[in-house]
C-alpha cells in the first residue's frame, strides 16, 4: 500500500486545515490508520488513530476536541480535520496504516506497517 498525504500549508493561529491521506495499491478497508506528527528537533508523536471500520477513534490529549480523524473506505482515504490550530501544532504530519492494534499499541509509530511521505503544517502566530 502506498499512502499520499496532502492538505498541509500555512495557516494563522485559530484557523483550520483538513489533511488527506489517499491510499493506492490496495484497499485500506481492513486497515487501522493513524496520524502522527514530527516537529523540528523532536520525536515523532501520535496524533490520532481510527479502527478499520471507522467506528472507533482515539486522540492524543492535545488533539482531543480540536482534531477529528475520519476514514472513507469507499474512497480509500483517511482525513484529519484540524481546527483551532496553534503555533505548537507546526510539524510534518504523517499518515500510517497497520493491522489491528490493541489500545496500548496505537501510540507507538513502530507498530505501523506503512507510511505516507508527510505534509507540512505551519501555524503562524
Amino acid at each position: 500500500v502506498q499512502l499520499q498525504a496532502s492538505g498541509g500549508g500555512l495557516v494563522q493561529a485559530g484557523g483550520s486545515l483538513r489533511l488527506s491521506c489517499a491510499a493506492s495499491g490496495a484497499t485500506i478497508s481492513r486497515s487501522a490508520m493513524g496520524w502522527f506528527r514530527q516537529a523540528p528537533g523532536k520525536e515523532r508523536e501520535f496524533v490520532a488513530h481510527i479502527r478499520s471500520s471507522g467506528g472507533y477513534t482515539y486522540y492524543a490529549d492535545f488533539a482531543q476536541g480540536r482534531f477529528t480523524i475520519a476514514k472513507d473506505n469507499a474512497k480509500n482515504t483517511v482525513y484529519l480535520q484540524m481546527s483551532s490550530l496553534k503555533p505548537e501544532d507546526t510539524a510534518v504530519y504523517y499518515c500510517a496504516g497497520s493491522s489491528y492494534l490493541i489500545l496500548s499499541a496505537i501510540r507507538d509509530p513502530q507498530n505501523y506497517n506503512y507510511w505516507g511521505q508527510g505534509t507540512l503544517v505551519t501555524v503562524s502566530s
Side-chain angles (χ1 to χ4, degrees), residues 1-121:
V1 180
Q2 291 79 45
L3 300 177
Q4 179 72 42
S6 62
L10 175 63
V11 63
Q12 288 187 334
S16 299
L17 279 176
R18 188 178 81 157
L19 306 183
S20 298
C21 175
S24 61
T27 177
I28 58 170
S29 61
R30 297 180 181 179
S31 295
M33 301 296 294
W35 284 96
F36 289 78
R37 70 184 187 183
Q38 188 166 18
K42 295 188 177 181
E43 293 187 351
R44 193 167 297 190
E45 66 175 344
F46 170 77
V47 177
H49 180 91
I50 188 167
R51 296 295 194 203
S52 59
S53 66
Y56 293 91
T57 57
Y58 307 92
Y59 298 92
D61 288 346
F62 66 79
Q64 189 74 44
R66 297 191 299 129
F67 295 2
T68 302
I69 187 172
K71 189 171 185 268
D72 188 334
N73 286 330
K75 294 184 177 180
N76 226 25
T77 301
V78 179
Y79 304 96
L80 184 69
Q81 177 69 48
M82 306 185 294
S83 60
S84 301
L85 284 163
K86 306 174 182 180
E88 51 264 43
D89 294 319
T90 295
V92 177
Y93 283 71
Y94 299 89
C95 57
S98 72
S99 55
Y100 176 83
L101 296 174
I102 59 175
L103 194 55
S104 60
I106 66 173
R107 288 169 170 77
D108 187 345
Q110 294 187 6
N111 293 325
Y112 290 76
N113 305 117
Y114 48 95
W115 290 80
Q117 86 291 357
T119 184
L120 176 63
V121 173

